[in-house]
Amino acid sequence: QELVNVVWAFATAGLPHPAAFAAAADELRRRGLGQLRPVGLANVAWAFAKVDCEHARLFAGIAAEVERRAEQFKPRELSSAAWAFARAGVADERFFGAVARQV
């Protein structure tokens, strides 16, 4: 959760830091995105999209978690994640299909 908070804080402050975001993405993936709560997944996606930080493998991992656990997400979390994917230009059909099934 601490890495989620760090990237969220950087993004909220409008401070893109590519090296920090890349390191955070790698560490989040290493630890396993399945360990994050839905709000954490949505916040990570939002933070990366907000500062225009591309990380295809991170977004692919988040998409897989949303597909697997979409029913656990609150509407606001799905909305935030969907915004992030759209903003980042990640047109993952399975992700958006999982979101659509929860609307």
Side-chain angles (χ1 to χ4, degrees):
Q1 184 64 40
E2 68 280 355
L3 286 174
V4 173
N5 293 341
V6 168
V7 296
W8 181 88
F10 270 75
T12 298
L15 298 171
H17 194 291
F21 273 75
D26 290 342
E27 183 62 16
L28 286 164
R29 290 181 62 249
R30 187 191 69 75
R31 292 181 187 182
L33 293 170
Q35 302 299 315
L36 294 177
R37 293 179 294 142
V39 68
L41 291 166
N43 285 346
V44 167
W46 178 88
F48 274 73
K50 177 77 171 149
V51 296
D52 297 318
C53 186
E54 295 182 21
H55 200 288
R57 287 178 292 170
L58 177 68
F59 275 91
I62 292 170
E65 287 300 318
V66 171
E67 289 174 60
R68 189 170 69 82
R69 303 189 278 156
E71 69 284 345
Q72 297 174 14
F73 282 70
K74 295 177 182 171
R76 179 162 172 69
E77 295 161 352
L78 287 172
S79 153
S80 180
W83 175 89
F85 273 65
R87 164 88 185 227
V90 180
D92 186 300
E93 290 183 25
R94 294 185 318 185
F95 165 81
F96 281 104
V99 171
R101 285 188 293 280
Q102 297 304 311
V103 179

